[in-house]
Amino acid sequence: MKIVDPHVHLWDLEIVPLPWLMPAGEAYSGDNRKLPRRYTDRELLAGAGDIEVLKIVNVEANPSDALAETRWLQSLAARDGYPQGIVAMLDLSRDDAATQLAALAETPNLRGIRQILNVHADPRYDYVGRHYLNEPQWRANLRLLARYGLSFDLQIYPSQATLAADVAAGHPDTLFILDHAGMCVDRDRAGQREWREGLRRLAARENVVAKISGLAMFDHRWTSASLRPYVLETIEAFGASRCLFASNFPIDGLHSSYGALWHAYAEIVAGASASERAALFVGNAERCYRI
């Protein structure tokens, strides 16, 4: 089984600290104390089993130093060829965001930027406690990405989808890649309805695509059957040409082996055409991240 994995987190805590892992503890996504202190492309490939990982995209892991993380990742690429794409962290609310972005853009494998935007009334799920999407300076600095031809990884909750769709409409030259299928955290009937409606608001913007990943963060004892509604609903909203399967490893590795996750995806979309499966598992990731 051949795949391109457009959402992995490589790290070495001895080289680039990750404050959220130091000290580690329980989180909604699982027990972070069980995560490795070092996870590079070599560990990922060694644990891939029968999955042939053609290429990977590393998405920032909320590091203490974004430039140090990006340069370290580029050193891995120089050593092993992986990661082929890098999505770096940048706080677009900063006064010096343009300077920071220029420094990051010197990295040959840089393909995009992510700034986690999740805001939630429940403190367990709230990442930032601040609605960056509403801030004029944040929106103005977002325009800088088009100058470098960079995408933006959009990590939000369903309650933020309407505002995010408005932002995407105002930045038509930037590709927005929705992380983790829109993060359906509230799974009662009202929460699922809000998630479905949010997907369609975002899908109405041609410059938004959806990454199907991170589902195990909210479903620790998942099965193919429990993942199926979220996978198929996302594909129905965006179409097979605008969805990308991804692993979110090693985070989702707290609840799954690498191979089991990818085979579950394959089982869920077994009825799709060969061209659709090729797009979902390889082609769309290559196109969206230009790798």
Side-chain angles (χ1 to χ4, degrees), residues 118-127 129 131 157 159-160 185-186:
N118 300 83
V119 178
H120 198 282
D122 187 332
R124 291 178 300 169
Y125 304 123
D126 191 281
Y127 279 70
H131 291 281
Y157 290 127
S159 61
Q160 300 170 275
V185 60
D186 300 305

Side-chain angles (χ1 to χ4, degrees), residues 7-13 16-37 39 58-65 69 89 114 116 126-127 155 180 217 248-252 254:
H7 200 108
V8 303
H9 300 292
L10 307 182
W11 61 59
D12 187 330
L13 301 184
V16 181
L18 302 178
W20 61 277
L21 270 181
M22 304 169 70
E26 286 282 353
Y28 73 80
S29 55
D31 187 352
N32 290 337
R33 289 168 293 193
K34 296 180 180 179
L35 289 170
R37 305 296 94 182
Y39 189 78
N58 187 93
V59 178
E60 60 89 17
N62 202 10
S64 58
D65 186 330
E69 179 192 56
M89 189 271 178
R114 181 173 79 159
I116 291 174
D126 191 281
Y127 279 70
Q155 184 170 311
H180 307 327
M217 291 192 294
N248 193 39
F249 261 55
I251 308 298
D252 279 27
L254 292 171

Side-chain angles (χ1 to χ4, degrees), residues 4 23 28 36 52 57 94 104 191 213 227 256 286:
V4 171
Y28 73 80
E52 184 177 352
V57 176
R94 292 175 54 140
L104 290 168
S213 57
L227 298 187
S256 171
E286 289 181 323

Side-chain angles (χ1 to χ4, degrees), residues 3-7 55-57 84-85 111 151 175 177 209-211 240-246 262 278-291:
I3 61 100
V4 171
D5 191 342
H7 200 108
K55 302 173 186 178
I56 63 174
V57 176
Q84 286 79 1
R111 295 295 183 270
S151 58
L175 177 66
I177 302 174
V209 299
K211 196 185 298 183
S241 65
R242 294 167 62 197
C243 289
L244 306 70
F245 280 127
W262 285 99
L280 288 164
F281 286 97
V282 176
N284 293 344
E286 289 181 323
R287 183 185 77 251
C288 292
Y289 284 111
R290 306 172 308 287
I291 57 174

